[in-house]
Amino acid sequence: LLSIRDFLLKSKNTIKYKKLIGFVSDNYTYVLWRNIVVSWTVKQITFSDIKSFLKIPLVYIAETLIVSKTDALIVQSKVEKHIYSKYFIKSPKIFTLPNGTQFTISKNDLTNLQREGVGLVASFNDTYMKVARWFIANVWINVIKNNPNMKLYLLGKNSDRLLNYVEKEYPSTSYSVVVEKYYENIQDFYLQRLIVVSPIFKNFGLINKTIEAMHCGCIVIGDKGAFNGLEDFKNGTHGYVVEDADEFTKKILSVSEIQDEDIRLRAHDFITESLSWDLNANTILEYLNNFEIKEFKN
C-alpha cells in the first residue's frame, strides 16, 4: 500500500504508464480490526489495541484514496477482494492472485527424511506474541503432560522473548521449548519438522508459514484462518483444521504417533499445483492485453 502511495506522490509525473496495478498483501484497515479481534480471542487486550481501534477511521480514508487511484488491484484472497469491493468507494478491478512459494522442491526431496518435533514460525511481537503465549498456555502445556518427550521448535524474531515467558510462567515445561538459530534457507528448518502449528485467528491474507510448511511436506495443524486463501484445501487431506485448544492438543498428539506419509505428500502436491507465479503473471498479461485491444478499437 505504501509503495502505491509513494509512486503516486513521487513518480507519477516522471513515469509514463497506461495502467497502474497495485499489489497489496493485506487490507490494512481490516488488519487493524482483526488484530483487535485476535487480542480479544486470546484474552489479551492491551493499550496497543485501543490505539489500533482509534487509527481505523484515518487508515480507512487513506487506504480508500490510495486504492481509488489504481486501475486494478491484486490481493491475496477472496476476503480482501470482498472487503475492497463492498466497503471501499471507487474500488478498482480486483484480482485474487495468491503468492507462489519461494522453494523449488520435489517429492524426491521429501523422502527418507528424519523429521521430529513441532515447529512454530513467526515474528513474535505484539499480536503474534499474544497468540504464541495463548498456544503455550492452552495447548503446549497439555501436549507435554501427555507426551513429555515432545519438543517445540521456535523460529523467528523475538523467539528468545517467548522462551523467557515459558521459563518464567511454566518452568517445568521450558525444557521442551527450543529456540532455533537463524536459517539462511528456511526450507532447511521445515524439512526437519514433522508438524508445523499455525495458530492464526485473523482470517485474511495468505499465511506464508502455512504454505511453506505444506510445500516442504510438513503436517500443518491450524485454525481455519491458517488456511485462508487456499480455496481447494480439504481438511484431513492436505492438513488439519482445529477449532479450539483441546482439538489442537489432541491433533498434535495423534499426528505425532501416526506420522501419516500420505498427507505430507498430498500437502506438497497441493501447494505445487495451486500456487503458481507463472499463472499470476499470465493473468496480469491477459488483463493488459485486453486493455490494449479495447484501446485500439476505440
Side-chain angles (χ1 to χ4, degrees):
L1 192 66
L2 295 179
S3 299
I4 303 171
R5 181 204 65 181
D6 290 344
F7 174 81
L8 292 169
L9 291 176
K10 301 175 182 178
S11 304
K12 182 178 180 181
N13 296 325
T14 59
I15 297 177
K16 293 182 179 180
Y17 66 94
K18 293 181 179 180
K19 288 283 184 178
L20 177 59
I21 301 176
F23 176 90
V24 293
S25 296
D26 300 309
N27 177 286
Y28 190 38
T29 305
Y30 193 60
V31 168
L32 292 174
W33 170 246
R34 286 304 305 182
N35 283 346
I36 297 168
V37 172
V38 171
S39 294
W40 179 266
T41 301
V42 298
K43 298 179 174 59
Q44 297 183 56
I45 292 287
T46 61
F47 182 66
S48 65
D49 296 306
I50 298 173
K51 290 196 296 184
S52 292
F53 181 76
L54 295 175
K55 283 171 61 177
I56 287 175
L58 293 175
V59 170
Y60 170 77
I61 293 170
E63 191 164 17
T64 300
L65 289 172
I66 293 171
V67 168
S68 68
K69 300 297 183 181
T70 64
D71 298 291
L73 200 63
I74 297 172
V75 298
Q76 292 294 296
S77 77
K78 290 182 178 179
V79 173
E80 295 85 64
K81 182 175 182 177
H82 172 75
I83 293 169
Y84 279 122
S85 299
K86 186 171 183 179
Y87 299 108
F88 280 70
I89 302 169
K90 295 182 180 180
S91 178
K93 182 177 179 61
I94 300 175
F95 295 99
T96 302
L97 300 177
N99 287 340
T101 68
Q102 60 178 310
F103 307 140
T104 302
I105 190 166
S106 69
K107 272 188 177 180
N108 290 335
D109 298 321
L110 305 180
T111 58
N112 300 320
L113 295 176
Q114 295 298 316
R115 295 178 180 264
E116 61 177 359
V118 178
L120 177 57
V121 180
S123 291
F124 297 101
N125 48 30
D126 200 24
T127 303
Y128 275 114
M129 179 61 83
K130 294 175 183 178
V131 172
R133 288 176 175 176
W134 172 89
F135 178 82
I136 295 292
N138 295 277
V139 178
W140 191 249
I141 296 301
N142 292 321
V143 169
I144 292 304
K145 286 180 181 177
N146 286 274
N147 186 346
N149 296 319
M150 293 284 284
K151 297 287 186 182
L152 178 65
Y153 296 88
L154 306 179
L155 180 63
K157 186 178 179 180
N158 294 325
S159 297
D160 290 330
R161 283 180 53 199
L162 182 57
L163 178 59
N164 291 340
Y165 166 79
V166 178
E167 291 173 340
K168 180 180 177 181
E169 299 295 329
Y170 309 98
S172 63
T173 307
S174 61
Y175 76 91
S176 68
V177 180
V178 180
V179 173
E180 286 285 281
K181 61 179 176 60
Y182 170 77
Y183 281 79
E184 185 92 21
N185 188 343
I186 196 173
Q187 81 176 43
D188 294 335
F189 170 81
Y190 289 122
L191 292 173
Q192 296 176 54
R193 301 285 81 82
L194 172 65
I195 299 168
V196 167
V197 290
S198 192
I200 300 299
F201 305 125
K202 64 181 187 176
N203 299 329
F204 65 85
L206 193 71
I207 311 304
N208 287 332
K209 61 186 173 185
T210 295
I211 64 173
E212 289 173 349
M214 291 174 66
H215 199 199
C216 290
C218 301
I219 300 176
V220 178
I221 304 172
D223 62 288
K224 183 179 178 181
F227 303 98
N228 185 68
L230 301 178
E231 300 302 330
D232 296 319
F233 174 86
K234 293 181 180 178
N235 184 22
T237 298
H238 305 118
Y240 293 104
V241 178
V242 292
E243 300 291 339
D244 53 34
D246 187 51
E247 283 191 19
F248 236 127
T249 302
K250 291 178 180 177
K251 188 57 68 176
I252 290 171
L253 291 168
S254 64
V255 168
S256 66
E257 292 180 2
I258 299 172
Q259 302 190 22
D260 191 335
E261 177 80 10
D262 290 338
I263 196 170
R264 295 197 290 104
L265 296 178
R266 287 195 299 267
H268 168 268
D269 289 345
F270 174 73
I271 297 302
T272 301
E273 295 165 6
S274 300
L275 304 180
S276 167
W277 290 111
D278 289 340
L279 178 62
N280 289 355
N282 289 334
T283 301
I284 296 171
L285 287 171
E286 182 179 355
Y287 166 69
L288 293 172
N289 289 334
N290 287 338
F291 166 74
E292 293 288 349
I293 292 171
K294 290 178 182 178
E295 186 182 58
F296 177 77
K297 286 181 179 180
N298 291 336

